[in-house]
Amino acid sequence: MKLLFKGHDARYAVEQSLLAFFPQERPVYDPAAREENQATVTLSQGKKYITAVTTLCYDGCTKRGISRVLWDPSADAYAAERLRQRAVKLSFFKAARQVTGATPSWGALTGIRPAKLAAGYLEQGMTPRQVDRLLRDTYCVSQTRRELCIEAAQAGLKAKSELHPEDISLYIGIPFCPTRCAYCSFVSQAVEKSFGLMEPYLEVLLGEITRAAQMVEDLGLHIKSFYMGGGTPTTLSAEQMDRLLTHLNRSFDLSHCAEYCIEAGRPDTIDREKLRVLLDHGCDRISVNPQSLEDSVLQAIGRRHTAADIEQTMGLATSMGFKHVNMDLIAGLPADTPEGFRRTLDKCLSFGADNITVHTLALKKGSRILLEGQKIPSAEAVGQMLDYSVSALRGADFHPYYLYRQKYMSGSFENIGWCISGAEGLYNIYIMEELHSILSLGAGGSTKMVDPAAGRIERVFHAKYPNEYITRPEKIQKNLEDFADFYRRMKK
């Protein structure tokens, strides 16, 4: 669809609405392009109101959407820009709803963090009922999504109330996997192609840990939560994991750490010896990520293990005494069906996990699903999977504690972390609600620096690939210096 903007360049807001209503369309910004379907979005700003008008032509049908937002001329530039984007996306939403006759589950909300929006209103003094009404009347969010959003916002505010200004979280990335899954676009290396990089990578990472720990001590910061992800961290051998965690625990003061989580990931990388190493070093939370318990789905996404392997791994993990065990599922994978997804979730609930994260498939550039044109379930089928997850998990006394959305998600739905009371994953809340800084070490990730008082967030992007990380020590040092400089500026 051709998109023509006048008076603004709010591409992200319009693109997300476009994908929600017309998932088969992609934005075209060339004014000379010969596209039958197009939208012209005009923005104007007066003394009291910001007005956006969208004229949408689709399959011979033309409709007009108008949104007018009250604004204060004395507002800062950031607040004014947010209001302009709100006007733009609401005008497109109104036009698209007239053309299609449909209303997406998240209505006109297009952001990655809807719970952060709700939390902001709650902090301003609104009651949950008032926030619910605002999400319904202003953004046309469905009742189910409004409830999820507000509950996640309340969990985020509770976690926020327990933080101190000196608290940060620590992330370590292990960008290696046994094989590359069909849905994946993360920067990770399949072990069979990069086994020789694992030892050099680990040695460089140990050095970065030493320098980062000294920096954290010098800045007077405390590690509130630790998370090791990837990739698949348990791709490391038991000896490598022991060496890494021993050095980590000796380098950092973890006396303030409330959560020590390692993503065990795929069952074909987990054994008793590795799990014992994790426990011996203080790990109190692991994540086993089957994504599905249907063998046909596992085969379609390129996994080398079976559903029976997952069941055996969960039995081992729960028997060894981990305080918290999470399982990740994805709704909308190739070869899956609503019936198959129901069977998967029901089995997961029988395994003893106290956290279950239900993701919606995101069609990412570079994934084999797109490159190979694999057939995936319809948006309607994905909706049925997610509706069942809400009812089944609530029925098992789970509640939503964080959620986020991504671009190109099937049906424009969401990812939700569910848990039983008291089992919330703090790191997940901190990073999704942007409550404090996340210091990232290793390749493939990014450091997020948060100044809550000023509402300022800065990011430092790390080397993408293991080989780049190994061969560019100056980039590692620059990332640490940027983090330290951010905190020195905060203290002034």
Side-chain angles (χ1 to χ4, degrees), residues 294-342:
E294 296 283 294
D295 284 332
S296 59
V297 178
L298 294 173
Q299 185 176 7
I301 64 175
R303 290 290 184 99
R304 288 180 175 173
H305 59 79
T306 65
D309 296 328
I310 296 167
E311 184 170 1
Q312 183 178 3
T313 298
M314 280 299 296
L316 176 62
T318 55
S319 72
M320 292 183 68
F322 284 95
K323 186 177 180 181
H324 301 292
V325 180
N326 174 74
M327 299 189 80
D328 277 14
L329 306 178
I330 298 178
L333 289 172
D336 208 357
T337 63
E339 295 75 22
F341 183 84
R342 290 190 196 105

Side-chain angles (χ1 to χ4, degrees), residues 190-206:
V191 168
E192 66 254 17
K193 296 182 180 179
S194 59
F195 181 78
L197 291 176
M198 292 182 71
E199 271 298 322
Y201 180 86
L202 189 58
E203 288 303 313
V204 175
L205 179 58
L206 294 177

Side-chain angles (χ1 to χ4, degrees), residues 164 166-169 216 220-225 253 256 436:
H164 299 284
E166 64 273 15
D167 288 338
I168 66 170
S169 286
V216 167
L221 301 176
H222 296 157
I223 304 298
K224 181 68 173 180
S225 73
D253 175 6
H256 299 272
H436 68 190

Side-chain angles (χ1 to χ4, degrees), residues 152-186:
Q154 291 171 320
L157 290 176
K158 181 178 183 298
K160 182 178 181 179
S161 71
E162 297 168 352
L163 287 174
H164 299 284
E166 64 273 15
D167 288 338
I168 66 170
S169 286
L170 176 66
Y171 173 86
I172 289 181
I174 305 296
F176 299 96
C177 279
T179 59
R180 190 176 182 87
C181 295
Y183 56 81
C184 185
S185 68
F186 285 133

Side-chain angles (χ1 to χ4, degrees), residues 30-207:
D30 181 2
R34 302 181 67 178
E35 295 282 338
E36 181 180 344
N37 301 321
Q38 71 171 45
T40 301
V41 187
T42 303
L43 183 73
S44 59
Q45 190 165 311
K47 293 182 178 179
K48 293 181 63 177
Y49 293 98
I50 297 171
T51 303
V53 180
T54 294
T55 303
L56 176 61
C57 303
Y58 189 80
D59 284 351
C61 178
T62 300
K63 295 294 180 180
R64 199 162 177 252
I66 302 174
S67 176
R68 180 173 291 173
V69 177
L70 183 67
W71 81 294
D72 181 356
S74 65
D76 61 37
Y78 178 74
E81 179 59 27
R82 288 185 65 181
L83 291 174
R84 284 191 287 269
Q85 292 206 19
R86 180 191 298 179
V88 165
K89 67 183 178 184
L90 283 172
S91 72
F92 187 94
F93 172 82
K94 291 177 179 179
R97 190 163 61 161
Q98 292 180 73
V99 167
T100 63
T103 302
S105 294
W106 282 101
L109 281 186
T110 58
I112 294 172
R113 298 175 173 84
K116 188 175 181 180
L117 174 70
Y121 289 124
L122 291 171
E123 286 189 298
Q124 291 171 21
M126 283 190 179
T127 65
R129 180 173 292 184
Q130 289 172 323
V131 175
D132 179 83
R133 190 179 303 122
L134 183 146
L135 293 174
R136 181 194 68 193
D137 296 343
T138 301
Y139 295 101
C140 303
V141 180
S142 71
Q143 180 178 346
T144 296
R145 265 64 196 183
R146 296 197 307 270
E147 292 172 351
L148 295 170
C149 184
I150 292 170
E151 287 181 72
Q154 291 171 320
L157 290 176
K158 181 178 183 298
K160 182 178 181 179
S161 71
E162 297 168 352
L163 287 174
H164 299 284
E166 64 273 15
D167 288 338
I168 66 170
S169 286
L170 176 66
Y171 173 86
I172 289 181
I174 305 296
F176 299 96
C177 279
T179 59
R180 190 176 182 87
C181 295
Y183 56 81
C184 185
S185 68
F186 285 133
V187 179
S188 60
Q189 300 288 310
V191 168
E192 66 254 17
K193 296 182 180 179
S194 59
F195 181 78
L197 291 176
M198 292 182 71
E199 271 298 322
Y201 180 86
L202 189 58
E203 288 303 313
V204 175
L205 179 58
L206 294 177

Side-chain angles (χ1 to χ4, degrees), residues 434-448:
E434 301 180 317
L435 298 182
H436 68 190
S437 295
I438 310 290
L439 173 60
S440 179
L441 308 180
S446 63
T447 288
K448 181 179 293 184

